[in-house]
Amino acid sequence: MSSENAPASSLGLPPSKNVIVDGVLRFPPTGSKALVVGAGIGGLMVALECWRKGIEVEVVEKAEKISPLGDIFVIGPSAMTTFHHYPNMVKEYDEIAHDARITFATKNGTEVMPPVEFEWNRKGVAQNSAYPLRVKGPISRLRFAEMLFHQCKRLHISVTFGVAVERYEEDIANGSATAITLDGRRFTADLIIAADGIGTKSHAVTLGQPVRAHKTGFLVYRGMYSTERLKGAPVAEDFIRNLESPVLHFLKADKVHCVFLLSKSHVSIGITTEGDDVAAIESWSSTVSNETALSSLPEPDTWSPLILDIIRHAPENSIVRWSLCFRNPQPRWTSSGGRIVQLGDSAHSFLPTSGNGATQSLEDAASLPECLRMVSNKEVGIATKVHELLRYQRVSLIQHTGFVNMQDVHREADPHVVEDKPPLHQGKWLWAHNPEKYATENFTKARASLENGSPFENTNLPLGHKWSDWTMEDEFSKQNAGIRTAHELKTNGDWGLV
């Protein structure tokens, strides 16, 4: 799949004709070919954006089909800044996303503040970066991936399933990279984008060693099913019947929190609790009985009857017990020659309390192809390193919020005190950011910094923020010493909404 004799990038040259497929206008060819390893949401989205930016692209995936595993995630506006280029996909998104409000309550269900919109949809806040699209937030992991896959098919992007990549190689002299499968097949391209998740083998060519997963001491019980199963549930059936719009509930308690989405069609649940079960792993196949999930709640009978109904009526042995692990921020996502680059969880995994794992994969998918668009095939390696420079500090800071947010939600809520600020605060710096535009405007300065050492400072952080590296060990040490790291982090720069 290499293109050693491909023409230089056509950046700035007038196109010879318009190429429009499924309503998507394509940039002129760059002369580069990319192989994406992994058909998760990051891999599929970066394939779409590579195609739109004039890069020839194909996708390989180890599974036999789009994975049906998973529950929901929240997609923020900064992930959707390029969606307007895909008119049919935007329409599908609007049909499948849940336009939910958020409630925060004590463990018995007593609300501690009125229901609120997601930050970017509240009145009086800054304009989000996906405007005028209404970004609804929660969405089924499966349905979002299927939406991206449908768009890939409409653009005739090749997605090949059953391809398990075991090793990556880079040929700097010839400007190419190769992904090698378990059965010995070799896929060669000008660029390989390793979007194959936390189990990626690409660390061997980026860091020279695997990235260690640290157990955080927390377990997550999570699942999703049809509300048809709630018929006859003492509390949940009436709740669903009277539900006017989807709602995302947070229940806060000491060292445990629950988050569950209720809509007319589906219910999703996540329980994060302290636990050090050595048998727990990071796998969607690690399921437990409903009774085991119920027992994860301290004194279950003191919890909201709604959450108890949801657990008890789940399909038996469908709730996943997930060991909550973390990998410290890794400052290098590229191979030495830049022809292999990691994307999404391969480069940066997140705790669920960051609310940003999926969003940051999609930000990557907007940034990287824009960097690639601005270079010739001979310069692909520098484009990936510019992308890394533009993204690392921002991603590292958002990873940090996942830890400090634990302090917000893992404490008892006082039912007699109405809270004026919702937990899990993010700020406009996060959801008003446009990663594609940021890459366009900062590519030249960031490249100069890498090539000749000229000064460069990222501005995709809170205004006035003093950035520094951090580790999970440092964070736990501070928290164990009684330091309110949430306050410490979120007063460093402007985390406001206006």
Side-chain angles (χ1 to χ4, degrees), residues 163-426:
V163 179
V165 172
E166 179 66 15
R167 188 158 53 93
Y168 292 83
E169 291 179 353
E170 181 178 46
D171 186 341
I172 297 176
N174 290 312
S176 66
T178 301
I180 304 166
T181 68
L182 283 171
D183 57 7
R185 284 179 287 174
R186 298 174 67 87
F187 293 80
T188 299
D190 302 313
L191 169 69
I192 292 181
I193 303 170
D196 44 351
I198 56 177
T200 184
K201 305 297 184 182
S202 58
H203 294 309
V205 294
T206 57
L207 298 173
Q209 60 188 16
V211 174
R212 181 186 171 194
H214 303 262
K215 282 186 175 287
T216 61
F218 290 92
L219 299 173
V220 182
Y221 294 82
R222 55 200 303 182
M224 186 173 184
Y225 61 90
S226 168
T227 52
E228 287 291 315
R229 295 191 59 87
L230 293 175
K231 289 181 178 179
V235 176
E237 182 179 24
D238 283 345
F239 188 93
I240 294 294
R241 183 184 300 114
N242 298 320
L243 191 65
E244 295 181 359
S245 62
V247 61
L248 192 64
H249 288 281
F250 279 82
L251 304 182
K252 299 167 54 179
D254 185 35
K255 298 179 180 178
V256 59
H257 76 274
C258 299
V259 55
F260 54 104
L261 174 77
L262 282 164
S263 71
K264 285 291 188 182
S265 61
H266 287 85
V267 57
S268 175
I269 183 172
I271 304 169
T272 303
T273 183
E274 277 197 336
D276 196 19
D277 188 339
V278 294
I281 58 175
E282 296 176 295
S283 172
W284 291 109
S285 63
S286 178
T287 59
V288 298
S289 68
N290 294 353
E291 190 59 37
T292 298
L294 195 64
S295 67
S296 70
L297 298 175
E299 301 178 319
D301 290 343
T302 65
W303 286 74
S304 163
L306 186 57
I307 190 71
L308 301 183
D309 270 0
I310 291 170
I311 297 172
R312 287 172 176 146
H313 286 76
E316 191 58 52
N317 289 304
S318 69
I319 296 178
V320 173
R321 178 178 59 185
W322 187 284
S323 178
L324 201 55
C325 296
F326 185 72
R327 293 149 183 85
N328 279 323
Q330 56 188 74
R332 186 165 181 178
W333 308 343
T334 57
S335 57
S336 58
R339 294 281 172 168
I340 300 170
V341 58
Q342 297 170 326
L343 181 140
D345 281 350
S346 300
H348 42 72
S349 61
F350 288 80
L351 295 181
T353 40
S354 72
N356 255 271
T359 295
Q360 293 312 306
S361 290
L362 297 172
E363 281 196 21
D364 285 351
S367 169
L368 176 60
E370 179 63 2
C371 291
L372 294 169
R373 183 185 68 83
M374 292 187 281
V375 299
S376 68
N377 182 42
K378 292 181 180 179
E379 299 175 313
V380 162
I382 190 64
T384 62
K385 292 183 181 295
V386 169
H387 161 77
E388 178 186 273
L389 176 59
L390 297 177
R391 296 283 300 146
Y392 169 67
Q393 291 182 341
R394 175 176 172 82
V395 167
S396 170
L397 177 56
I398 299 170
Q399 286 176 300
H400 199 174
T401 67
F403 277 91
V404 303
N405 286 344
M406 282 280 199
Q407 293 181 322
D408 273 347
V409 293
H410 275 197
R411 58 183 175 87
E412 294 283 357
D414 188 340
H416 305 294
V417 177
V418 177
E419 298 187 12
D420 58 348
K421 292 184 179 179
L424 307 177
H425 178 86
Q426 293 184 331

Side-chain angles (χ1 to χ4, degrees), residues 400 407 468-470 472-485 488-489:
H400 199 174
Q407 293 181 322
S468 63
D469 268 314
W470 68 281
M472 186 181 86
E473 294 85 353
D474 292 341
E475 179 63 27
F476 279 149
S477 177
K478 287 182 177 181
Q479 292 191 15
N480 291 335
I483 299 174
R484 292 287 300 168
T485 55
E488 180 182 67
L489 183 67

Side-chain angles (χ1 to χ4, degrees), residues 80-91:
M80 306 189 73
T81 54
T82 64
F83 270 48
H84 63 282
H85 294 292
Y86 305 90
N88 286 321
M89 191 166 76
V90 169
K91 182 179 179 181

Side-chain angles (χ1 to χ4, degrees), residues 415-448:
H416 305 294
V417 177
V418 177
E419 298 187 12
D420 58 348
K421 292 184 179 179
L424 307 177
H425 178 86
Q426 293 184 331
K428 66 181 179 183
W429 74 275
L430 208 157
W431 41 259
H433 175 65
N434 184 324
E436 179 190 41
K437 181 180 179 183
Y438 187 75
T440 307
E441 295 176 346
N442 290 277
F443 183 90
T444 301
K445 290 180 289 184
R447 177 175 182 168

